[in-house]
């Protein structure tokens, strides 16, 4: 077991519904009713009917909290549904609520004996949270959790858009090095962690993680 929390954090670019991990996290709404963005993608890939039925039994979810369902047809075994804050002005409790999403999701994972978990960039789409601030909170909160507990072995932050992945890598490097202002004077990382698509000769494809140019 690696104790350094940063060695258990990976950044990747791609579609969270493709990941074969113990749990993927969904950026849901309080009614757990499904929606667009990553929520819609997860419901569709899991099988909309089964996922809707499972969510309907949970009685909703408060902002900052998390609930769990099976993954149904997803490669992931479970989906942890968390509800990020709608961004207003950054002074209405949004940072605390966003941090709570990451903590509560990890607590649920630990309570269910899950060791690999993938997060999307919660609240940074429809809910309007500024990407840079949200990513810094996500990274700091998860690193603090992993420092205090070795139960979760790997956390993947997965970014749908290339530009977000690049920005997140810069923030990750800065936060890890202990800088306060992540994007100020921070060079782009020379060795981002990426998922590469490899096609095989039967028309299939496989996703490959890389870390510093070496297979992880
Ligand atoms: N895999 C990974 N990330 C994704 C995917 C995907 N398949 N699809 C979208 N994303 C990314 C977006 O690029 C964005 O950075 O997820 C991030 C979060 O965006 P949203 O899905 O809009 O989530 P959020 O801002 O938390 O808003 C939640 O949107 O869909 C509704 O029901 C949901 O009401 C809730 C609200």
């Amino acid at each position: 077991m690696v104790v350094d929390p940063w060695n258990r954090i990976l950044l990747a670019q791609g579609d969270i519904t493709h990941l074969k991990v113990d749990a993927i996290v969904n950026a849901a709404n309080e009614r757990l009713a499904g929606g667009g963005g990553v929520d819609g993608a997860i419901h569709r890939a899991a099988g909309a009917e089964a996922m809707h039925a499972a969510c309907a039994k949970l009685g909703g979810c408060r902002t900052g909290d998390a609930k769990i369902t099976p993954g149904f047809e997803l490669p992931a075994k479970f989906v942890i549904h968390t509800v990020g804050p709608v961004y207003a002005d950054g002074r209405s409790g949004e940072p605390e609520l966003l941090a709570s999403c990451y903590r509560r999701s990890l607590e649920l994972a630990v309570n269910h004996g899950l060791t690999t978990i993938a997060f999307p960039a919660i609240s940074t789409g429809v809910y309007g949270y500024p990407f840079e601030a949200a990513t810094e909170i996500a990274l700091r909160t998860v690193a603090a959790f992993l420092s205090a507990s070795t139960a979760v072995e790997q956390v993947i932050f997965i970014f749908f858009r290339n530009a977000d992945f690049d920005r997140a890598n810069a923030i990750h490097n800065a936060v890890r090095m202990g800088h306060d202002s992540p994007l100020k004077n921070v060079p782009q990382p020379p060795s981002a962690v990426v998922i590469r698509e490899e096609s095989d000769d039967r028309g299939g494809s496989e996703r490959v993680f890389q870390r510093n140019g070496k297979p992880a």
Side-chain angles (χ1 to χ4, degrees):
M1 168 54 59
V2 183
V3 175
D4 180 351
W6 294 105
N7 290 338
R8 289 183 277 148
I9 291 175
L10 280 177
L11 272 60
Q13 189 277 322
D15 183 337
I16 201 167
T17 65
H18 295 174
L19 294 184
K20 193 172 177 185
V21 286
D22 287 345
I24 60 171
V25 176
N26 182 19
N29 52 60
E30 285 197 333
R31 292 182 301 126
L32 300 180
V38 72
D39 196 3
I42 288 173
H43 275 251
R44 279 192 301 278
E49 215 171 294
M51 186 56 91
H52 272 101
C55 285
K57 291 184 192 147
L58 297 174
C61 181
R62 290 190 173 195
T63 300
D65 202 358
K67 302 264 177 99
I68 191 165
T69 66
F72 299 106
E73 292 171 35
L74 286 162
K77 290 184 206 143
F78 293 91
V79 176
I80 294 174
H81 306 262
T82 190
V83 183
V86 178
Y87 190 84
D89 55 9
R91 295 187 297 277
S92 308
E94 300 97 324
E96 295 76 14
L97 288 166
L98 186 62
S100 173
C101 288
Y102 287 93
R103 264 196 308 272
R104 290 290 303 129
S105 296
L106 290 167
E107 282 168 9
L108 261 186
V110 172
N111 289 344
H112 285 76
L114 311 181
T115 60
T116 54
I117 177 165
F119 286 97
I122 297 161
S123 280
T124 66
V126 172
Y127 282 180
Y129 211 116
F131 184 85
E132 183 182 336
T135 304
E136 185 171 347
I137 289 168
L139 287 165
R140 287 193 194 282
T141 304
V142 169
F145 188 96
L146 296 181
S147 297
S149 163
T150 54
V152 173
E153 291 170 12
Q154 180 139 83
V155 172
I156 299 169
F157 290 97
I158 185 153
F159 300 92
F160 199 53
R161 301 187 314 161
N162 274 319
D164 287 346
F165 174 63
D166 291 342
R167 285 196 291 167
N169 267 294
I171 296 163
H172 166 270
N173 285 5
V175 170
R176 188 171 181 172
M177 285 187 298
H179 289 288
D180 284 336
S181 305
L183 287 184
K184 282 186 195 134
N185 306 315
V186 176
Q188 285 297 305
S191 55
V193 178
V194 296
I195 285 178
R196 189 175 71 237
E197 281 268 341
E198 277 187 348
S199 299
D200 63 36
D201 51 10
R202 294 184 306 278
S205 67
E206 189 184 351
R207 281 167 186 256
V208 180
F209 287 99
Q210 281 206 328
R211 187 149 220 269
N212 296 329
K214 299 182 197 110

